[in-house]
Each structure stands twice: as structure tokens, then as C-alpha cells.
């Protein structure tokens, strides 16, 4: 489905409210029917979830956004010079706030013609698309979709720089990550490039604090998935009956986010005719956020035929940004 807001902004919608509800129903049925229980992370991001994530990016404990911004501030000019991209594609674009540094540099280099943000969250995407069209006077071709299902809907042609920032790749479990990277690489032409932001392995205290802040914003974000299920599937979750848990798993090299039921209780999900029982202390896994090392990034990109041409970190070495091209 295509809608055109204004001459400069095109929005392709591959996820309508109906298809979203059907996909959520399938995920809830499978995930809450399994042992241990699990919910996939893309459901955090309704309008309220997107706002809460935006608040997370400004928390003192949440260093990834500031660290990645520092890398982009230092390197955007080099990225523009090396890629000479005419199209900037951004996966999981959210508000595209840091992306403005890339848009500025590509504008200055004189190569930018088109910006293509891609996200599951339609309202956030439309807001960012309109603002960037206004400010940059660039053609915006936005895509509402799931980057695990709709990568083939990205605009083609020209020299594309595909950016995937924020460490969002770490929210995919290893098999899903490998599948995502294979599909992405498959769609890249010889003149395209891939810019990837990855949070890096560091000490447990800082990692766990980044996902369990004192103000409780991350806890509210985690519980928001229950509000999403209540709204979309007529469920009667009381989110406050669940505690937010964030735990670093050093063997898997990921932070695991869970919702832990405070007491034994049942939840009715009318929209899919399901009753779910929770035991006292029972946990639902809602998110992983994998942390990387440079060799790991080089290996995973290499496995799909992408060569890392540049590797940059912020001065503290907290966050890595790599620029890769098809070999
Ligand atoms: N890039 C921004 C936002 C990161 S938050 C930043 O660096 O700050 C992750 C973003 O990815 C959210 O905007 C969320 O809506 C989007 N997202 C999560 N899962 C997705 C999926 N499967 N397909 C498309 N977008 C997704
Ligand atoms: N991509 C972000 C990350 O992994 C998403 C995120 C930040 C997140 N804080 C969260 C997801 C808390 C779930 C819960 O850092």
C-alpha cells in the first residue's frame, strides 16, 4: 500500500494495523504457550513504547546513544567521502535523530538525493519523515515494515548507504541475526555500503545499569509490551504485577530482559481465546541485547560476504561502528 503525504514524502505501508494484530496474535500464542515463556521485542514499539525508548536514549545510565553519536560526529565526513551515497537507507530508524549527522555530511558532500527510513512504528516514522523532508528538502521514501520480513521492499538503484544504528542488531537472536544479515547482503549491490552500530562487551555493572535505570524508564518500557497486548488483543494483564529484570549473561554475551510475575495469577487474552497461568516468580523473556567485539562483527559480516572497511569506536571504546561493503 502506498500513500503520499506531500510531493517529497512517500510512505509505503507493508504492516497495516490488521496484519500487525495477526502477527502479534501468532507471536503471543506461540511465545506465552511455550516453556520458558517468551515475547519478541518488536512489540515494544507502539506510540508509547517509541516515546519511552526516546526517553531511554537520554538516561544517564544509557551510554550507547551518546557513544554512537560521538562516533558519527567524528566520522560522518569520512563516511560520506568514502561512500558518496545518493540514498541513505535507515533500518529501525525510530526518530532518526543521530542520522541527521549522516544526512548533514552527505548533503555537504553533495551526493544526497534520497532518504529511506524503515521502521515498524508508523507514527514515529511518519513524524521523522516529514521533519527531515522539510529540513533537508530531500526526497523521502519511508517504509513501514518488519526488517525480518520486508527487506526486499527497500528502494533500489543508485549508490545506497544502508545504516542500522543503535545496536538494534543485538536484539536479534543469533539464528535470526544470521538470517537477517544474509538477506541484507543478498540485496546489496557492488556500489552499496552497510553502516552498522554495535554495542560492545564491557563490565557487568555498566551493562546492567544501562538496562535497569534508577528512574524506572526501562522498566516501564519493558512492561509496555503488556499494554500493547492488552490493547491489541483484549487481554487483562496488570503490568504492575510484573517486575523488570535485566541480567548480563557472560557466556551468551547478551543482556537478557525479563518480566517476572510477582505472584501466581492468570491472565485472560480474549482476542485469541487464551488463558495464561503465571507462577510466583515465573519469568517471561522479552528481549536480548547482544554485545559484540570487533572480531565477532568482522566474522558475522564476513560470513555473508561483507568486508569491514572501517571500524571506529568512541574514545572510551564503549560502542563500535563499522562500515562494510560487498567483498
Ligand atoms: N535507530 C534508533 C532507534 C533504535 S530503537 C536509535 O539508534 O536510537 C529500535 C528501533 O527499531 C525502533 O524504532 C523500533 O520501532 C524498530 N524496530 C524494532 N524491531 C523492528 C523490526 N522487526 N522491523 C523494523 N523496525 C523495527
Ligand atoms: N536496541 C536497544 C538496545 O538493545 C533497545 C533497548 C534499549 C531496549 N533498552 C531496552 C529493549 C530495554 C528492551 C528493553 O540497547
Amino acid at each position: 500500500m502506498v500513500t503520499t503525504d506531500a510531493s517529497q514524502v512517500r510512505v509505503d505501508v507493508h504492516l497495516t494495523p490488521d496484519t500487525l494484530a495477526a502477527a502479534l496474535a501468532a507471536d503471543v500464542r506461540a511465545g506465552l504457550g511455550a516453556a520458558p515463556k517468551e515475547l519478541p521485542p518488536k512489540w515494544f514499539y507502539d506510540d508509547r513504547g517509541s516515546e519511552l525508548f526516546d526517553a531511554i536514549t537520554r538516561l544517564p545510565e544509557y551510554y550507547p546513544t551518546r557513544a554512537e553519536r560521538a562516533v558519527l560526529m567524528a566520522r560522518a565526513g569520512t563516511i560520506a567521502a568514502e561512500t558518496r551515497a545518493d540514498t541513505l537507507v535507515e533500518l529501525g530508524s525510530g526518530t532518526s535523530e543521530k542520522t541527521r549527522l549522516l544526512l548533514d555530511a552527505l548533503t555537504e558532500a553533495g551526493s544526497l538525493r534520497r532518504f529511506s527510513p524503515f521502521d515498524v512504528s508508523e507514527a514515529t516514522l511518519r513524524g521523522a519523515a516529514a521533519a527531515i523532508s522539510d529540513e533537508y528538502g530531500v526526497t523521502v521514501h519511508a517504509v513501514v515494515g518488519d526488517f525480518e520480513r520486508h527487506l526486499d521492499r527497500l528502494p533500489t538503484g543508485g549508490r545506497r548507504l544502508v545504516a542500522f544504528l543503535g545496536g538494534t542488531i543485538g536484539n536479534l537472536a543469533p539464528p535470526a541475526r544470521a538470517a537477517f544479515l544474509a538477506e541484507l547482503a543478498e540485496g546489496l549491490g557492488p556500489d552499496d555500503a552497510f553502516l552498522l552500530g554495535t554495542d560492545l562487551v564491557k563490565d557487568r555493572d555498566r551493562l546492567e545499569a544501562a538496562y535497569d535505570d534508577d528512574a524506572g524508564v526501562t522498566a516501564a518500557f519493558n512492561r509496555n509490551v503488556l499494554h500493547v497486548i492488552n490493547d491489541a488483543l483484549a487481554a487483562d494483564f496488570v503490568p504492575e504485577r510484573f517486575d523488570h529484570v535485566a541480567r548480563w549473561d557472560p557466556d551468551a554475551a547478551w543482556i537478557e530482559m525479563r518480566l517476572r510475575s510477582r505472584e501466581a495469577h492468570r491472565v485472560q487474552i480474549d482476542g485469541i481465546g487464551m488463558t495464561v497461568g503465571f507462577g510466583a516468580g515465573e519469568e517471561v523473556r522479552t528481549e536480548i541485547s547482544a554485545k559484540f567485539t570487533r572480531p565477532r562483527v568482522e566474522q558475522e559480516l564476513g560470513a555473508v560476504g561483507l568486508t569491514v572497511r572501517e571500524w571506529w569506536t568512541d574514545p572510551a571504546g564503549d560502542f563500535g561502528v563499522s562500515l562494510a561493503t560487498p567483498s
Side-chain angles (χ1 to χ4, degrees), residues 29-41:
R29 212 178 273 119
L32 295 186
K37 295 183 173 72
E38 191 172 4
L39 288 168

Side-chain angles (χ1 to χ4, degrees), residues 14 38 43 55 60 62 65 69 110 117 178 191-192 201 205 231 256 270 303:
H14 300 299
E38 191 172 4
W43 304 113
Y62 195 74
T65 304
R69 186 183 298 118
D191 294 331
D192 294 337
V201 172
D205 290 352
D231 292 350
E256 210 165 299
D270 283 342

Side-chain angles (χ1 to χ4, degrees), residues 42 45 53 90 92-94 98 119-121 145-147 165-166 168:
K42 62 187 149 219
Y45 299 95
F53 179 74
E90 183 179 20
S93 47
K98 284 166 283 168
D119 207 284
V120 281
S121 181
D146 180 340
F147 51 57
L165 304 177
T168 304

